[in-house]
Amino acid sequence: MFEYTLANGVIVSPGKEVYTGNLSVKGENIVSPANSKNSGAVKISLKKKSFVYPSLINTHDHLQGNYRPPVGPKKGSYYLTWLPWDQDFKASKTYEERSKLEREDLYALSGYKCLFSGVTTVNDHFPHNLNCQIIPTLPIRAIQDYCIAHECSTYDLKWGDGIEIEHEKAVKNKWPFITHLAEGFDDEAMHGIEMLEKLKILDNHCLFVHCIAFSDEDINKVAKAGASVSWCGFSNMFMFNVTAKIRKMINAGVNLTIGTDSSATGSANLLAELKYDRDLYRKLYGEDLSAEKIFEMVTINSAKALWMQDRIGSLDEGKLGDILVMKAKNDDPYENLVNANMKDIELLVLAGKPIYGEMRFLDIFQGNLGKSGLPQGYTQIKVGSKAMFVKGDPAGLYKEIRKKIGFKKKLDYLPFEPAGEPDQNEGGK
């Protein structure tokens, strides 16, 4: 059982004052430092030079789709709905290249896309029969407790057992019901909320993705129902040249979260998405979206949207030890997060267990290291100038991907080059 204290860190948790102090973990959970006085417990000082956050939550991704480069409309044109994009994608070189890989390869890449951006919890928006066997193998947590529809239209992909049945299961199990909604501007896309009202399933179990065609009335109905929205600004602008009415959603009190969508249309990872979405908000409204608000969107708001706020999303005692430690490059902890890149991550912890970090944090494993000097099931990579331990073997995966597709593919969400190969990703962007 893991038992350790991150001492003298700057602790940043939603809805609480930032303070310099200690954060203790025992087993899978965060505990009061007073309850972690075992003489054998590890104590690592952060020397007031690191911010300690809850690890990040991505409320919308398609883990089979995280291959690059993205595929979009022809120059000067944009899509009316998702369907013509799907046709373009399946005719693209990206899809042809991706087809040389196994699903397991793509999911493994997606796990590391999350990990290297400080994400430990993600929703893979695919039906359970397609992902239930594979997501437990990932180095991060892809949630399994959710109900699903692809979209609320006659031309959706009919995921799940039907909208009404899936929603009923969500209510019974206290899970989220997740669906794309209003992703486009045809007649059906623009009346998604009305359809859900007729089915009597508009409530706080609903997590709606995209919502670019919402009317002001739709926004007010969603807020009143306590439903959540996953904002995917990059993907929206790339495909449709428009995004959701974010300022109106905030003002209405909608529980707003952020998702990346897949890298086939979206940003490289969640850290890149935060920067893009903030800049987009400034361009749209001529005012700032505060870094603290963005922090809430990818922590406690997202936990609430996934019906997991009792377990993750903040650094409260008793919650799972999902922790992100980042280098302090900015005096403001929220600005520090929103402006961070992959090289700024010092430690990432999932349910108390380190899954990625600088070598100084290996002390947490209390000597349970193999001949390599690493825990069993971990490898070492170099990110920028830093040696890092990581769960699994992303360098081996990267090499295997390149072998299968036949050339030295660069994936911008992997911030390293395998040993023996020149560093193409210097900068960790």
Side-chain angles (χ1 to χ4, degrees):
M1 181 175 70
F2 290 95
E3 187 169 2
Y4 57 93
T5 294
L6 301 174
N8 299 312
V10 183
I11 313 299
V12 190
S13 190
K16 294 189 175 182
E17 292 292 327
V18 176
Y19 69 94
T20 300
N22 299 345
L23 185 74
S24 295
V25 172
K26 187 172 183 179
E28 294 188 342
N29 302 103
I30 296 169
V31 297
S32 167
N35 295 329
S36 182
K37 294 183 177 180
N38 183 339
S39 60
V42 173
K43 188 174 184 179
I44 298 177
S45 178
L46 301 179
K47 302 178 181 179
K48 302 180 182 180
K49 294 181 179 180
S50 303
F51 288 117
V52 182
Y53 307 96
S55 57
L56 308 184
I57 304 169
N58 182 353
T59 53
H60 185 64
D61 205 335
H62 298 282
L63 298 187
Q64 186 172 313
N66 286 314
Y67 199 71
R68 306 291 265 172
V71 175
K74 294 179 181 178
K75 188 175 180 179
S77 65
Y78 297 95
Y79 297 123
L80 185 64
T81 69
W82 66 271
L83 189 57
W85 169 81
D86 187 63
Q87 295 163 349
D88 284 352
F89 178 66
K90 289 176 179 175
S92 70
K93 291 183 178 180
T94 297
Y95 185 80
E96 179 183 0
E97 188 178 300
R98 195 189 82 170
S99 298
K100 298 177 182 179
L101 305 177
E102 303 296 328
R103 290 183 69 245
E104 289 78 5
D105 298 327
L106 295 167
Y107 268 84
L109 285 173
S110 294
Y112 287 112
K113 167 191 166 178
C114 293
L115 182 150
F116 290 124
S117 60
V119 172
T120 56
T121 302
V122 64
N123 173 237
D124 176 35
H125 196 64
F126 277 118
H128 291 282
N129 65 306
L130 296 182
N131 67 16
C132 66
Q133 297 298 317
I134 196 167
I135 57 177
T137 69
L138 302 182
I140 50 84
R141 176 192 301 115
I143 67 167
Q144 300 186 65
D145 295 341
Y146 65 92
C147 295
I148 190 171
H150 173 253
E151 189 181 61
C152 300
S153 69
T154 58
Y155 51 81
D156 73 6
L157 298 178
K158 311 305 178 190
W159 288 350
D161 296 325
I163 294 172
E164 293 171 281
I165 294 173
E166 289 287 318
H167 181 265
E168 183 179 358
K169 287 193 295 184
V171 173
K172 179 180 178 180
N173 291 294
K174 296 184 179 180
W175 293 350
F177 166 73
I178 307 173
T179 182
H180 298 108
L181 198 68
E183 186 188 9
F185 295 97
D186 68 349
D187 186 64
E188 286 195 67
M190 296 180 72
H191 292 88
I193 289 295
E194 293 176 25
M195 176 181 176
L196 294 178
E197 282 185 307
K198 290 178 181 178
L199 296 174
K200 297 181 180 180
I201 61 172
L202 178 59
D203 61 16
N204 61 346
H205 287 270
C206 296
L207 170 56
F208 301 133
V209 182
H210 301 307
C211 308
I212 60 176
F214 271 11
S215 67
D216 292 357
E217 185 178 7
D218 290 337
I219 292 171
N220 290 330
K221 289 177 179 178
V222 167
K224 185 177 180 180
S228 301
V229 168
S230 180
W231 179 28
C232 307
F234 187 102
S235 180
N236 296 163
M237 297 301 293
F238 183 69
M239 293 178 65
F240 302 103
N241 198 35
V242 68
T243 192
K245 298 175 180 177
I246 296 302
R247 183 167 64 174
K248 288 186 175 181
M249 290 186 182
I250 292 172
N251 291 340
V254 172
N255 185 53
L256 192 60
T257 74
I258 293 178
T260 57
D261 212 344
S262 81
S263 297
T265 61
S267 51
N269 60 26
L270 192 60
L271 292 178
E273 186 73 29
L274 303 188
K275 298 178 187 67
Y276 181 90
D277 288 350
R278 191 184 197 189
D279 186 56
L280 176 60
Y281 190 94
R282 287 167 172 162
K283 290 177 179 177
L284 290 174
Y285 303 115
E287 62 187 45
D288 192 29
L289 177 59
S290 77
E292 184 175 2
K293 182 67 177 177
I294 294 172
F295 167 68
E296 292 170 353
M297 290 179 187
V298 291
T299 54
I300 196 63
N301 288 14
S302 292
K304 180 180 179 182
L306 298 178
W307 279 69
M308 297 179 70
Q309 66 268 36
D310 60 331
R311 287 163 278 169
I312 62 174
S314 66
L315 299 176
D316 295 330
E317 183 178 354
K319 287 193 175 183
L320 291 173
D322 286 7
I323 302 165
L324 171 63
V325 180
M326 282 194 140
K327 181 178 180 181
K329 296 168 60 177
N330 191 305
D331 290 339
D332 184 294
Y334 308 110
E335 293 289 347
N336 191 75
L337 176 67
V338 173
N339 291 290
N341 61 48
M342 291 184 284
K343 288 175 65 177
D344 297 325
I345 296 175
E346 297 180 336
L347 177 68
L348 186 65
V349 178
L350 173 65
K353 184 176 184 179
I355 56 174
Y356 176 56
E358 296 178 356
M359 305 304 282
R360 62 189 170 115
F361 292 105
L362 283 174
D363 288 347
I364 292 173
F365 291 90
Q366 295 183 296
N368 293 315
L369 307 176
K371 292 181 180 179
S372 66
L374 299 170
Q376 184 176 2
Y378 286 70
T379 55
Q380 181 177 320
I381 58 172
K382 188 176 180 181
V383 177
S385 60
K386 294 190 300 184
M388 307 286 287
F389 67 84
V390 61
K391 186 177 181 181
D393 185 13
L397 173 67
Y398 210 173
K399 288 181 179 180
E400 184 66 19
I401 295 300
R402 289 172 166 178
K403 181 180 178 181
K404 287 182 177 180
I405 62 175
F407 68 96
K408 199 170 184 178
K409 179 74 174 183
K410 180 179 178 180
L411 293 166
D412 51 1
Y413 50 74
L414 298 181
F416 67 93
E417 278 292 316
E421 299 188 33
D423 189 353
Q424 297 177 338
N425 287 8
E426 183 64 30
K429 296 180 180 178

